[in-house]
């Protein structure tokens, strides 16, 4: 029985869920790799460059954010700043109230999950309907997304068909095409009845104030086509300096996220409807959300703010594949979440200080990340922080006695030999400090402490000649 | 991707870091490493004071404890001679991990200098010495384990170059070779379920390829996988790359 919550969660995950998560992540990861390496002679150079662009952007937010704000205002958009999740939610509510609006259609945005916008609006008498198919299913099931790109990766179509039947969307039918058609039909009317449309922004160019939005379902386009007011929620780290930076980032995003050259829909929106344009929202509000990001920027893990939320690190992660997303108790799961989620808690970091430990530090996440985030290094930094802040870590053996031994060669050699004499393991000697936990599922090789040193000595004695 | 600056090699003298695992369990791996290096014309010194690279505490988040061990290691492997390690993981600890945890320490330059002259064994043979083919014979189907600490380094390609050059040896491919085996140091004991499940997946893939032997440049992964397989009552034959190279020189009569 493990002491770590994520391990316990993984141990009790239904086999069927694990199988769906594993299959789907593995397939996407393998397609992604093929696509990138078939199409580019050296995708690693692209990832490095993209990482440099984003790193430059987050390190110069003090330049780019005011620039973006000025551009957006010049384009006719209204700009709001939200330091916290509550402030961001309150901006949305105020904008809706000022327009006398009660109904919102929402495209998929991770930051709206992060600030728990839909719940907040619900509590204040507003309807906020998810229009991304996956998010819609999460909403009717009162569930939580388990992946940042595929929120329902943990569900199979039979479960979805049951939910649709329960919600009165037709008799049980688990054919994916039928499910999609029914959702589309249901949502069509909702778009027409809505007062405001809310989207995120995958990127925001400081140069033009233009936001880039990518989807595969076209729902974000519907959300802003049928409504008069477009609200954009955007994390402050989504900024890029120039429009042309989008070239490389969009090329990497689609391929990394869903193994597509480009998502089906890519929209660029720079402001509300121009008087000369026949349709489109008459108001556009851009809400910049901080919610802990400036603290992250000031700390030692700021590279995580480069993240473009592609999910490739989740897909390749052997832990995520076994444990699924809910194991991480966070909006952001997987390797990126193991870094970002505890950090966004600020002083409540200890509540999620176990997340960075749920990793074998295999480095696969770093290898696939389109913005080259050294995730394992960041996980290690957070482990060190947890230790420094004395956050208890169940099952982790104390290292100080081992370090004492390993910095005293005489004691070390004595322990090696003592272990051999008794054929027991001096548990403090080697990196298997918790012996019982090791032997619960694995055999331990025979103790041969000191044998090599003896062999070497015997061999190096001038005579008799070397022998084994 | 692990950006490495290296001190150029001059002589053919090295210091062997045997690793704590070989010191405690896998003496034959360390012995094979000595014989392989000597076969390549290298003079091998073994600093007696050596203990461990410091990785367990580093990964566990106890950086002060880890730094204590790294400082000891820096003192033990003083001088200019390169340090050769039969483990990608311990090598990476010295050229990457230790550097990270010493970022703000006054003695960081000494740690970085040690990192620059640290080599994983296969990398040293192939990219350091320019060895491209290995003599002898080793008639066996070999599956090669890509240990995670060699990601982004030249070690895997180097090991495969050597293995593929050996007469009689056939390298067999297996599924999801780039996935981690689930060892992960302390992770193996703090997350036993996840670690075991990852190990099982690896074993399934390896067994499906039906190799005669499963070879690695890191004994830690082998200790985990071999231990799991033995506990199941379906042991697999694991060897270190150095053992295969040495045994090839002897004509392939492998010792385990
Ligand atoms: S950390 Fe990198 S790989 Fe993971 S979601 Fe973010 S951009 Fe994608």
């Amino acid at each position: 029985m493990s002491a770590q919550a994520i391990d316990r969660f993984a141990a009790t995950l239904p086999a069927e869920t694990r199988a769906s998560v594993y299959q789907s992540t593995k397939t996407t990861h393998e397609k992604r790799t093929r696509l990138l390496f078939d199409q580019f002679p050296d995708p690693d150079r692209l990832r490095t460059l993209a990482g440099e662009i984003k790193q430059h952007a987050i390190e110069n937010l003090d330049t780019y954010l005011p620039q973006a704000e000025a551009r957006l205002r010049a384009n006719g958009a209204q700009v709001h700043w939200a330091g916290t999740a509550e402030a961001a939610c309150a901006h949305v509510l105020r904008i809706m109230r000022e327009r006398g609006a009660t109904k919102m259609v929402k495209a998929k945005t991770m930051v709206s999950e992060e600030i728990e916008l839909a719940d907040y609006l619900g509590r204040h008498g507003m309807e906020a309907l998810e229009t991304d198919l996956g998010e819609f299913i999460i909403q009717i099931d009162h569930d939580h997304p388990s992946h940042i790109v595929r929120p329902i990766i943990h569900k199979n179509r039979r479960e979805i068909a049951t939910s649709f039947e329960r919600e009165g969307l037709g008799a049980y039918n688990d054919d994916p095409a039928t499910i999609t058609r029914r959702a589309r039909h249901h949502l069509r009317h909702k778009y027409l009845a809505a007062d405001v449309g809310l989207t995120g922004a995958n990127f925001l160019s400081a140069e033009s104030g233009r936001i880039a939005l990518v989807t595969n379902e076209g729902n974000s386009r519907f959300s802003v086509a049928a409504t008069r007011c477009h609200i954009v929620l955007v994390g402050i780290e989504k900024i890029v300096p120039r429009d042309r930076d989008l070239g490389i980032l969009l090329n990497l995003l689609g391929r990394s996220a869903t193994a597509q050259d480009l998502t089906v829909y890519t929209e660029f929106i720079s402001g509300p409807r121009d008087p000369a344009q026949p349709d489109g929202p008459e108001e556009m509000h851009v809400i910049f959300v901080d919610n802990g990001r400036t603290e992250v920027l000031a700390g030692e893990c700021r590279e995580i703010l480069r993240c473009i939320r592609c999910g490739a690190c989740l897909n390749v992660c052997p832990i995520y594949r076994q444990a699924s997303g809910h194991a991480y108790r966070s909006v952001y799961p997987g390797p990126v979440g193991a870094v970002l989620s505890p950090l966004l808690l600020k002083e409540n970091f200890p509540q999620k200080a176990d997340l960075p430990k749920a990793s074998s530090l295999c480095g696969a996440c770093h290898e696939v990340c389109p913005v080259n985030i050294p995730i394992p290094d960041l996980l290690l930094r957070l482990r060190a922080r947890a230790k420094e802040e004395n956050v208890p870590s169940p099952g982790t053996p104390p290292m100080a006695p081992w370090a004492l031994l390993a910095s005293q060669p005489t004691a070390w050699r004595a322990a090696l030999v003592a272990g051999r004499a008794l054929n027991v393991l001096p548990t403090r000697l080697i990196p298997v400090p918790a012996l019982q936990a090791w032997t619960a599922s694995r055999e331990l090789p025979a103790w041969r402490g000191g044998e090599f040193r003896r062999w070497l000595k015997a061999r190096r004695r001038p005579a008799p000649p070397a022998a084994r | 991707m692990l950006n490495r600056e290296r001190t150029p090699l001059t002589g053919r003298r090295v210091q062997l870091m045997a690793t704590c695992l070989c010191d405690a369990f896998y003496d034959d791996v360390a012995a094979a490493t000595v014989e392989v290096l000597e076969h390549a014309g290298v003079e091998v010194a073994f600093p007696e004071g050596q203990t461990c690279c410091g990785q367990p505490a580093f990964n566990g988040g106890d950086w002060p404890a880890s730094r204590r061990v790294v400082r000891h290691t820096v003192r033990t492997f003083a001088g200019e001679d390169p340090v050769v390690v039969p483990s990608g993981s311990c090598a990476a600890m010295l050229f990457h991990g230790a550097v990270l945890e010493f970022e703000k320490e006054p003695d960081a330059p000494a740690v970085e200098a040690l990192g620059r002259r640290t080599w994983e064994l296969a990398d040293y043979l192939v990219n350091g010495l320019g060895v491209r083919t290995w003599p002898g014979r080793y008639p066996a189907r070999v599956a090669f384990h890509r240990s995670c600490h060699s990601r982004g380094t030249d070690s895997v390609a180097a090991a495969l170059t050597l293995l593929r050059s050996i007469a009689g040896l056939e390298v067999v491919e297996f599924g999801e070779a780039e996935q981690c085996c689930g060892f992960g140091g302390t992770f193996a004991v703090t997350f036993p379920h996840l670690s075991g499940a990852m190990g099982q997946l690896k074993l399934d893939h390896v067994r499906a390829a039906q190799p005669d032997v499963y070879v690695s440049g890191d004994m830690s992964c082998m200790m985990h996988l071999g231990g799991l397989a033995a506990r199941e009552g379906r042991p697999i034959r694991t060897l270190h790359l150095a053992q295969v190279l040495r045994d090839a020189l002897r004509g392939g009569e492998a010792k385990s």
Side-chain angles (χ1 to χ4, degrees), chain A residues 174-182:
Chain A
D174 63 13
D175 164 43
T178 308
I179 290 174
T180 311
R181 198 168 50 245
R182 285 173 175 177

Side-chain angles (χ1 to χ4, degrees), chain A residues 148 307-313 336 369-371 373 375:
Chain A
I148 60 179
C307 174
I308 60 172
R309 307 284 188 267
C310 74
C313 59
V336 56
C369 177
V371 283
I373 301 175
I375 296 176

Side-chain angles (χ1 to χ4, degrees), chain A residues 1-2 4 6-13 18 322-323 437 441-442, chain B residues 182 187-200 224 228:
Chain A
M1 187 59 177
S2 170
Q4 293 277 350
I6 293 181
D7 200 57
R8 287 201 304 273
F9 186 95
T12 53
L13 191 73
R18 182 175 310 110
Q322 295 284 343
S441 60
R442 312 167 189 90
Chain B
F187 174 81
V189 293
T190 43
F191 292 82
H193 170 80
L194 285 165
S195 168
M198 287 158 69
Q200 281 305 336
H224 162 66
L228 278 176

Side-chain angles (χ1 to χ4, degrees), chain A residues 1-8 10-12 18 22 26 29-30 44 47-48 300 315-319 321-323 354 357-364 366-368 372 376-378 380-381 383-385 387-388 393-400 402-409 412-413 416 425 429-435 437-453 455-457 459-460 468, chain B residues 1-2 16 18-32 34-35 38 43-69 72-73 75-76 96-97 100 103-104 147-152 176 178-198 201 205 220 223-232 246 250 255:
Chain A
M1 187 59 177
S2 170
Q4 293 277 350
I6 293 181
D7 200 57
R8 287 201 304 273
T12 53
R18 182 175 310 110
Y22 174 76
K26 178 175 182 288
H29 164 69
E30 287 172 355
D44 283 338
R47 301 189 311 117
T48 309
E300 294 191 328
N315 295 338
V316 79
C317 177
I319 315 290
R321 287 181 180 184
Q322 295 284 343
D354 63 317
K357 307 208 162 120
S359 165
S360 60
L361 302 170
C362 78
H366 184 191
E367 210 168 49
V368 299
N372 198 26
D377 289 357
L378 305 185
L380 283 157
R381 285 189 200 280
R383 291 180 185 191
R385 172 172 165 191
K387 171 75 185 163
E388 239 166 64
S393 177
T396 306
M399 292 293 173
W402 164 86
L404 196 64
L405 199 58
S407 45
Q408 296 178 39
W412 178 268
R413 283 197 293 268
L416 275 174
L425 181 69
L429 194 57
I430 57 147
V432 192
L435 187 57
W438 178 271
T439 53
S441 60
R442 312 167 189 90
E443 298 293 329
L444 199 66
W447 185 258
R448 310 262 308 162
E451 287 293 343
F452 169 66
R453 293 173 188 240
W455 172 84
L456 196 65
K457 271 207 189 85
R459 192 166 177 268
R460 292 197 166 163
R468 298 205 52 193
Chain B
M1 290 216 309
L2 295 176
L16 171 67
T19 79
C20 62
L21 273 190
C22 291
D23 227 352
F25 296 111
Y26 300 109
D27 52 314
D28 188 55
V29 172
V34 172
E35 294 185 310
E38 288 181 351
E43 188 189 325
V44 183
F46 181 79
E48 281 285 330
Q50 61 182 276
T51 56
C52 171
C53 66
Q55 184 163 205
F58 172 66
N59 284 358
D62 193 343
W63 288 14
S66 173
R67 283 194 290 257
R68 180 175 188 155
V69 179
H72 169 73
T73 299
R75 279 193 301 273
T76 308
H96 185 76
L100 193 68
E103 258 172 7
K104 289 186 212 140
S147 61
C148 293
H149 279 99
S150 331
R151 255 181 233 281
E176 294 192 278
E178 82 295 346
Q179 280 274 310
C180 174
C181 71
F183 171 66
T186 317
F187 174 81
V189 293
T190 43
F191 292 82
H193 170 80
L194 285 165
S195 168
M198 287 158 69
L201 195 59
H205 280 306
S220 49
M223 181 160 121
H224 162 66
L225 289 171
L228 278 176
R231 174 56 57 86
E232 278 185 306
R246 179 207 47 204
R250 297 175 180 172
K255 237 183 91 124

Side-chain angles (χ1 to χ4, degrees), chain B residues 89-103:
Chain B
S89 166
C90 308
M93 174 63 197
L94 291 184
F95 67 72
H96 185 76
V99 173
L100 193 68
E101 65 178 348
F102 273 79
E103 258 172 7

